[in-house]
Amino acid sequence: MTRAICFYVFLAILCCSTIPLGSNRTWALALLELAVFGVMAVMAVTVISSPRINLPELNWRSIKFGYLFNAGLFFTALMVMCLRQLISDESADIATGQATLIEALLYAGVFALTLTFLKDKKSIQTLIYAIVGIGLVQAFLGSYWVIVGTQGRASGTFVNPNHLAGFLEMSIGLGVGMMLSIHSTKGTTFRTSLLSWSELLLGPKARLRVVLIIMVIAVVMSASRSGNTALFSSILITAITMLIIARKLNRSTIILLVSLVVIDVALIGTYFGVERVANRIQQTTLATEQRDEVSIYTIEIIKDNLLWGTGAGTFEHVFPKYRGPDVGAHFTHAENDYLQFLSELGLVGFIPLALIVMFSYGAAIQALRVRKSQFYRGIAFGTLMAMNSILIHSFTEFNLRIPANACLFMVVLALGWVSLYSERGGKDGSALRRHRSKTT
């Protein structure tokens, strides 16, 4: 009972994290950290005080494998990197190091809680529907405020439209995966054909499809160039990946993916701002964009601090020492997650962080290869699509510096492992054992 309550509290925390500006304020981040740490503490007390609760019950099957033990070490390595500022002579660095260390613990906690709570199909569905639900709320708010003139570009409750686009990209990816995971009735007789069409028009897939359309509209109305590029590139990349791995795509999958691109962009996007996005891309020049200069100067920071970095969270303090006169604005972030992580953490911190993502990505790919369950293959597809979109978007934005988006990304990474190991038995278990025997 306590575990179920903690699960729903965890879902509420994930949903509410988007409301106060994506938790991109000190007070909002502090509340988010307290909430997540509180759930972790209750779960720890529950495990310790309840002898009836054993490890399999808490879904430790998904995290007892070597890959995730390594991932835990990588998270630890990342936190150790944050301690660099604690021995600094500057008080600003000390305060930043303490805050970043706590934030790193927050993301590690979200990752661990996701693995702990997702023990079966019902819990996975509940989580994804909750994420898609808050994505729908954000999409509706952003679109509505643009229509009434409150916002020039859809940003929902986020500060930046690009951050709304980043959150919706991942939500759309998980929503697409959920659609693919829902079993459809095949029509071999008149009765089953009628039932199949009824499910198509009135069933959960139809409702989920409408929600996805609304979220895609919001991404278009955000006029985020990199956000729109990342979303539709991720569809193409993930579809090609699945085609290579599975060697075939069923008709329903092809229809869904093609319709996301053709209907949502070519038709709906025409009325909701796709031309505006195209114009922004065409009008982008080196003279009007300072991101290129920021990236160049950030590379200089990396060259001078390649191994250990400048310290987590110190970009805002270090960048003014390197920027030239052609960059007049104040930048708190590098507008490129990869460059900022590398400049702050150095190779010692960046490599473990990259390996976490690579191992989770590999787990989702392996799930597509060896899982026979339509449900878990669909979840793996959605996880890959969400990863692809945010990883592409991170080349031109700092979405992973926004707590709400970073927490969702941790959930996505955990889902990669869940899609591979959750409820592994029967054909799935034998297929995974055969795959392991071939690779060893």
Side-chain angles (χ1 to χ4, degrees):
M1 184 64 180
T2 303
R3 183 178 181 279
I5 294 174
C6 286
F7 176 52
Y8 287 107
V9 170
F10 177 64
L11 295 183
I13 292 171
L14 291 177
C15 294
C16 292
S17 67
T18 64
I19 297 176
L21 306 176
S23 295
N24 191 28
R25 291 294 182 269
T26 303
W27 62 269
L29 177 58
L31 290 176
L32 179 60
E33 290 167 347
L34 285 173
V36 172
F37 294 155
V39 174
M40 293 178 66
V42 172
M43 286 298 297
V45 171
T46 302
V47 173
I48 295 172
S49 61
S50 302
R52 293 183 180 180
I53 297 182
N54 51 40
L55 295 182
E57 220 175 327
L58 290 175
N59 199 33
W60 289 105
R61 288 182 61 188
S62 294
I63 65 174
K64 69 179 183 179
F65 298 92
Y67 289 133
L68 285 185
F69 280 124
N70 290 334
L73 294 176
F74 298 148
F75 271 115
T76 303
L78 176 59
M79 295 170 197
V80 170
M81 290 301 100
C82 300
L83 297 176
R84 185 184 188 277
Q85 293 97 315
L86 300 182
I87 59 174
S88 173
D89 295 330
E90 299 183 19
S91 59
D93 284 352
I94 295 175
T96 301
Q98 293 172 339
T100 309
L101 176 60
I102 297 173
E103 190 174 350
L105 288 169
L106 162 69
Y107 301 137
V110 171
F111 183 82
L113 286 174
T114 304
L115 289 173
T116 301
F117 288 130
L118 300 187
K119 62 184 181 65
D120 52 26
K121 293 180 181 179
K122 182 179 179 181
S123 58
I124 297 171
Q125 288 175 330
T126 303
L127 173 71
I128 294 180
Y129 279 133
I131 293 172
V132 171
I134 192 60
L136 173 63
V137 172
Q138 289 292 333
F140 177 79
L141 290 175
S143 303
Y144 174 76
W145 285 335
V146 169
I147 293 172
V148 300
T150 304
Q151 296 178 349
R153 296 166 55 193
S155 60
T157 60
F158 289 83
V159 178
N160 192 318
N162 296 301
H163 302 156
L164 171 67
F167 186 87
L168 293 180
E169 292 162 16
M170 291 185 281
S171 301
I172 291 170
L174 295 180
V176 170
M178 181 55 66
M179 284 194 67
L180 297 179
S181 70
I182 298 175
H183 179 73
S184 299
T185 303
K186 296 182 179 181
T188 55
T189 64
F190 175 77
R191 182 176 178 278
T192 55
S193 298
L194 184 62
L195 181 60
S196 177
W197 279 101
S198 299
E199 290 179 353
L200 178 64
L201 298 175
L202 303 174
K205 277 191 175 183
R207 295 191 294 270
L208 192 52
R209 174 71 180 134
V210 173
V211 172
L212 293 177
I213 290 175
I214 295 174
M215 288 197 287
V216 171
I217 291 174
V219 173
V220 175
M221 294 182 73
S222 72
S224 172
R225 294 160 293 186
S226 50
N228 282 272
T229 301
L231 174 61
F232 297 107
S233 296
S234 68
I235 296 175
L236 179 62
I237 293 171
T238 311
I240 293 175
T241 302
M242 187 172 183
L243 183 61
I244 294 173
I245 293 175
R247 301 185 183 277
K248 65 177 181 178
L249 288 174
N250 57 49
R251 186 176 61 180
S252 61
T253 302
I254 296 174
I255 293 174
L256 172 61
L257 298 178
V258 171
S259 66
L260 276 174
V261 178
V262 176
I263 298 178
D264 298 344
V265 177
L267 300 181
I268 298 175
T270 301
Y271 298 99
F272 289 97
V274 72
E275 293 181 356
R276 184 179 179 185
V277 178
N279 290 335
R280 290 193 72 223
I281 294 175
Q282 293 173 357
Q283 294 170 5
T284 300
T285 64
L286 294 178
T288 59
E289 281 285 325
Q290 290 189 335
R291 297 187 187 187
D292 300 296
E293 286 78 8
V294 173
S295 297
I296 292 173
Y297 294 129
T298 303
I299 292 175
E300 294 301 318
I301 299 176
I302 295 172
K303 290 179 180 178
D304 291 343
N305 304 273
L306 182 60
L307 185 59
W308 295 101
T310 61
T314 59
F315 178 85
E316 183 178 4
H317 306 296
V318 175
F319 182 72
K321 302 175 184 178
Y322 285 83
R323 72 180 181 187
D326 50 345
V327 179
H330 176 74
F331 284 86
T332 58
H333 298 286
E335 304 292 338
N336 182 315
D337 277 324
Y338 302 104
L339 291 181
Q340 184 166 347
F341 279 123
L342 190 53
S343 68
E344 292 183 347
L345 303 178
L347 290 175
V348 177
F350 180 81
I351 291 176
L353 190 65
L355 287 175
I356 296 171
V357 178
M358 291 172 60
F359 284 163
S360 298
Y361 196 95
I365 289 181
Q366 190 174 355
L368 276 180
R369 180 182 294 115
V370 304
R371 294 301 299 255
K372 302 301 180 182
S373 166
Q374 178 180 336
F375 178 84
Y376 287 107
R377 287 171 65 88
I379 299 303
F381 183 96
T383 300
L384 286 174
M385 182 174 165
M387 286 188 199
N388 286 329
S389 63
I390 199 64
L391 291 176
I392 293 172
H393 199 170
S394 292
F395 279 104
T396 57
E397 276 298 334
F398 51 97
N399 270 294
L400 298 182
R401 295 287 173 163
I402 306 303
N405 288 3
C407 285
L408 180 55
F409 186 55
M410 291 298 103
V411 171
V412 171
L413 293 181
L415 279 170
W417 295 98
V418 171
S419 66
L420 177 60
Y421 290 116
S422 184
E423 294 186 311
R424 184 169 50 85
K427 294 181 179 180
D428 281 329
S430 59
L432 186 56
R433 286 190 292 272
R434 286 196 301 270
H435 175 75
R436 282 180 173 175
S437 63
K438 291 179 180 178
T439 56
T440 56

